[in-house]
Amino acid sequence: MAVLVTGGARSGKSGFAEACSARLGTRGIYVATSQPFDGEMAERAERHRLDRAVSGFPWETVEEPLALAELLGRMSEAYGGAGSSEPPVVLVDCLTLWLTNRLLALDEADSFTARDADSELERLIEELVLAAARYPHPLVLVTNEVGSGIVPEYSLGRRFRDLAGRLNRRMAEVCDRVFLVTAGIPVDIRKLAFRLEEL
């Protein structure tokens, strides 16, 4: 079962995702995609790690800022074989940080134009979506809803916003449950989804 949790900054989506994970299994692997480039980010990551340690739910933290599809592939093979115990819930927090890491890495590479980088990112998004769709164990994915505000004034920001929107849309298509968290309140948006056949 794959669950996508989206929402704005500080909306409560990570806390909700952790609570969902605790309902889906007896232990979890927390895949952190952040790269602490400064002291404030490192402090924030450490605070989250300590919060998980005292939550009462057994978490193992794995840091993977770039190779998410490959990690899911390895974990898919590692858990659930004959005679193995219940596989852990995998929580990825978050997809938009993964996208940021990939975008910045490609933009720093001299061999990529912006158009080439965006094409490569589209390919990587599809690779990740496929890995999530194929993952046979409980999977919770956190992402940010970034396209509801003003249009960014700089090119990199507009590219990121567009790519993040595509990533979220594609991931929602393959996830069994999709939640939007606003002001700490989770809403099951797949249950509320309108279908054109209803017209």
Side-chain angles (χ1 to χ4, degrees):
M1 169 188 235
V3 177
L4 182 67
V5 180
T6 188
R10 292 285 175 252
S11 62
K13 60 189 180 298
S14 292
F16 176 71
E18 290 176 21
C20 281
S21 298
R23 298 291 297 243
L24 294 174
T26 56
R27 62 191 174 104
I29 296 178
Y30 185 97
V31 180
T33 62
S34 69
Q35 298 185 87
F37 290 117
D38 57 40
E40 188 271 335
M41 279 292 288
E43 184 180 309
R44 183 183 294 209
E46 182 59 23
R47 190 167 57 249
H48 286 309
R49 189 177 289 113
L50 291 172
D51 288 345
R52 288 193 301 276
V54 299
S55 70
F57 187 74
W59 287 107
E60 173 191 344
T61 300
V62 174
E63 294 183 9
E64 183 46 71
L66 296 170
L68 276 184
E70 296 85 346
L71 178 64
L72 288 177
R74 289 193 306 273
M75 288 194 294
S76 181
E77 294 173 5
Y79 302 110
S84 64
S85 61
E86 176 188 346
V89 178
V90 173
L91 168 57
V92 177
D93 196 354
C94 78
L95 298 180
T96 39
L97 277 176
W98 167 82
L99 181 64
T100 299
N101 298 336
R102 284 293 199 172
L103 176 60
L104 293 177
L106 287 170
D107 266 26
E108 291 170 3
D110 293 333
S111 56
F112 283 93
T113 65
R115 180 175 288 171
D116 291 340
D118 288 356
S119 294
E120 176 64 4
L121 282 164
E122 294 280 4
R123 186 191 71 75
L124 291 167
I125 287 169
E126 287 306 313
E127 187 178 90
L128 180 57
V129 168
L130 186 59
R134 289 179 172 168
Y135 193 73
H137 311 303
L139 176 64
V140 180
L141 304 154
V142 177
T143 191
N144 287 287
E145 202 59 46
V146 299
S148 300
I150 61 172
V151 176
E153 65 181 49
Y154 52 96
S155 174
L156 185 63
R158 290 190 297 273
R159 288 169 56 209
F160 172 76
R161 178 205 57 183
D162 292 349
L163 288 161
R166 290 187 197 107
L167 168 62
N168 290 350
R169 190 173 66 220
R170 286 290 294 122
M171 199 59 80
E173 289 173 4
V174 302
C175 286
D176 303 290
R177 306 290 298 270
V178 182
F179 294 95
L180 172 66
V181 182
T182 303
I185 302 169
V187 177
D188 188 336
I189 57 177
R190 191 172 297 292
K191 283 186 177 177
L192 298 175
F194 173 77
R195 290 168 180 76
L196 285 174
E197 300 81 44
E198 298 172 20
L199 279 178

